[in-house]
């Protein structure tokens, strides 16, 4: 069964610092991978997705993620954090080639300090 | 509609009562998903609809939980005899396979219904 593991339930960075949110997946076949962001009291919003094209995927708000098959990782990065990036971030894997059903990690809450 | 709409946004109920949560997906989206978000638990899949049928109900935690979808549009998630452990945010999402391929299409989420069972 496919699953994802997000290391670190909380990450704190200073404004302007690098953001690195970790995600590792387990899958017997090349997966589709997603990062979603959830701002307070809002639904989830897609940041980016990997669907076996380019391994470096660029998303919204300056975020990007790199698919590394050898490490089974799909870490999310942003070179310079902004206060508005404070939110909860979820990594997800698509479990099926018949549906768009996603299996989510437990999430990482990002805090950004001035 | 322009987005996925869920109601109520907040619901407080007493233990043992039944509750209904409603989801109105994006017009034309044939697939609809219910997830539950509990504190510290991430998002837990509950059920998936394709049209009006539910080929995957594997995430429903007990027989107190049920869902239906009518007209290939609105869906209702019903929780009978609510328990305190049912307290969570219930999220609905929809997707449309056209323009992509299964597994890679984007799920669009609603803002959720926060359920508190006293």
């Amino acid at each position: 069964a496919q699953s994802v593991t997000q290391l670190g339930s909380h990450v704190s960075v200073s404004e302007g610092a690098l953001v690195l949110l970790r995600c590792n997946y387990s899958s017997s076949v090349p997966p589709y991978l997603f990062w979603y962001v959830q701002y307070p009291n809002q639904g989830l919003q897609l940041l980016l997705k990997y669907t076996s094209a380019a391994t470096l995927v660029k998303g919204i708000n300056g975020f990007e993620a790199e698919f590394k098959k050898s490490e089974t990782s799909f870490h999310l990065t942003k070179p310079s954090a902004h206060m508005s990036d404070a939110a909860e971030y979820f990594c997800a894997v698509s479990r099926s080639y018949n549906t768009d059903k996603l299996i989510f990690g437990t999430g990482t809450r990002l805090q950004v300090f001035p | 509609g322009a987005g996925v709409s869920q109601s109520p946004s907040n619901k407080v109920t007493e233990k043992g009562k039944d509750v209904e949560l409603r989801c109105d997906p994006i017009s034309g989206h044939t697939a609809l998903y219910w997830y539950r978000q509990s504190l510290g638990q991430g998002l837990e899949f509950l059920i998936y609809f394709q049209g009006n049928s539910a080929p995957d109900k594997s995430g429903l935690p007990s027989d107190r939980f049920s869902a239906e979808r009518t007209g290939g549009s609105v869906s209702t998630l019903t929780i009978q005899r609510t328990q305190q452990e049912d307290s969570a945010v219930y999220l609905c999402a929809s997707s449309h396979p056209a323009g992509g391929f299964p597994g890679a299409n984007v799920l669009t989420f609603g803002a959720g219904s926060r359920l508190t069972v006293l």
Side-chain angles (χ1 to χ4, degrees), chain B residues 58-114:
Chain B
S58 62
L60 294 178
S62 75
D63 58 8
R64 295 187 296 105
F65 287 72
S66 64
E68 65 176 11
R69 189 179 185 194
T70 56
S73 181
V74 172
S75 175
T76 302
L77 176 69
T78 301
I79 309 172
Q80 297 178 308
R81 305 181 302 281
T82 52
Q83 304 294 313
Q84 289 183 333
E85 61 263 29
D86 300 334
S87 297
V89 177
Y90 290 83
L91 292 167
C92 176
S94 67
S95 71
H96 185 46
F101 43 94
N105 294 302
V106 175
L107 269 62
T108 300
F109 283 83
S113 292
R114 181 177 298 277

Side-chain angles (χ1 to χ4, degrees), chain A residues 25 29-34 48-57 65-69 74 94 97, chain B residues 101-105:
Chain A
Y25 66 92
V29 297
Y32 301 136
L33 293 159
F34 302 76
L48 49 83
K49 67 177 184 180
Y50 167 76
T51 56
S52 71
T55 57
L56 182 62
V57 182
E66 186 172 7
F67 173 73
K68 292 187 176 180
K69 186 177 179 180
F74 191 59
S94 178
Y97 293 106
Chain B
F101 43 94
N105 294 302

Side-chain angles (χ1 to χ4, degrees), chain A residues 31 39 46 68 77 84 98 101 103-104 109 113-114:
Chain A
Y39 297 103
L46 180 73
K68 292 187 176 180
T77 60
S84 61
N98 295 317
K101 173 181 173 181
I103 304 299
F104 285 88
R109 183 166 297 279
F113 293 100

Side-chain angles (χ1 to χ4, degrees), chain A residues 53-95:
Chain A
T55 57
L56 182 62
V57 182
K58 294 187 183 299
I60 62 171
N61 300 337
F63 284 93
E64 63 182 35
E66 186 172 7
F67 173 73
K68 292 187 176 180
K69 186 177 179 180
S70 62
E71 298 178 6
T72 62
S73 68
F74 191 59
H75 302 331
L76 181 71
T77 60
K78 182 174 180 177
S80 177
H82 192 272
M83 296 295 290
S84 61
D85 294 328
E88 188 147 22
Y89 293 79
F90 293 92
C91 183
V93 62
S94 178
R95 179 175 178 172

Side-chain angles (χ1 to χ4, degrees), chain B residues 3-21:
Chain B
V4 177
S5 178
Q6 292 188 246
S7 61
S9 55
N10 278 288
K11 176 72 175 179
V12 179
T13 191
E14 293 180 347
K15 177 182 174 181
K17 295 285 181 68
D18 297 352
V19 296
E20 286 189 350
L21 307 176

